[in-house]
Structures are given as C-alpha cells and as structure tokens.
Amino acid sequence: MSDAFTTRVLNIATGSHERVVDLTGECEDFLREAAHGRDGLLNVFVPHATCGIAVLETGAGSDDDLLATLHTLLPADDRWQHRHGSPGHGRDHVLPALVPPHATLPVIDGRLALGTWQSVCLVDTNRDNPNRQVRLSFMS
C-alpha cells in the first residue's frame, strides 16, 4: 500500500453499558507509525449502524453529559419502530444521525492538530453489541 494512504483497524470492547471511549491515544500511536512527520488527514470511521465518532472534551464530565443528552434526545423506551434487541434499541439506530460514524481530522507534522481539550471518541449506546471496530486511515 502507498505511503500516501495507510489504514489500521482497532478492536474496541465497549462492554454491556453505554460508553464514550477516548481513542486519542490510539490515533496518536497510529500516526507515529503511519504519518512519518508528514501533514495530511486522519479519517476515523466506525462501520456499525449504532455508534458514532465525536470530538469532545473528556474527563471533566463532558462525556457523561453527552450520554445524558443522548438519553434526553433519544430515550430508551418503546417509541421506536426499530424493535429488535433490548428495550429501546431503536434509539441506537438513530444515534449516527446525531453523532456521525466518522470524523476527518487535520494532521500537522505527523501529529493530530486538536484543540487543547479535544479528544477523539467512540460513542456507543448499544448495550447489545460489546465489540466494535474502528478504522483509522491516514492520507497525505
């Protein structure tokens, strides 16, 4: 594969509860190997219909605030037409419309060009699928 495009798949265990998983460290590790100090773009993509990728502050309560907001916007109850899985699972299939399954981020000198408090996160509200894949792709 060309040095202009490199990809890696991460396997992430999210468990049986809703989670925001910080992927920033894994993204930085990947870029150290793939970018070789070059400028480009990092695309982060999750090939699942019930989770998304967000750029937000973590560790100061924002990740919990995001999950609480999603509970308000997308309650886990019986209102959803999509009804397989655990009660309220239909909400998980609406999540990617609000938290998209991808993010494309600038890379400068081989490093993520994030703001001071920004982290790259997997947002998973689906308690029925505890194992996720995340594809990291660097393009220069």
Side-chain angles (χ1 to χ4, degrees), residues 24-63:
T24 309
E26 287 90 339
C27 291
E28 291 170 342
D29 291 345
F30 170 67
L31 289 172
R32 271 192 288 284
E33 296 174 22
H36 306 290
R38 294 175 293 168
D39 294 352
L41 296 172
L42 175 68
N43 182 263
V44 183
F45 175 73
V46 57
H48 300 282
T50 58
C51 54
I53 300 295
V55 177
L56 73 153
E57 179 180 7
T58 59
S62 296
D63 36 355

Side-chain angles (χ1 to χ4, degrees), residues 31 38-43 103-114 118 138:
L31 289 172
R38 294 175 293 168
D39 294 352
L41 296 172
L42 175 68
N43 182 263
T104 301
L105 307 164
V107 176
I108 307 297
D109 294 328
R111 298 179 52 110
L112 274 175
L114 294 173
Q118 291 181 317
F138 174 71

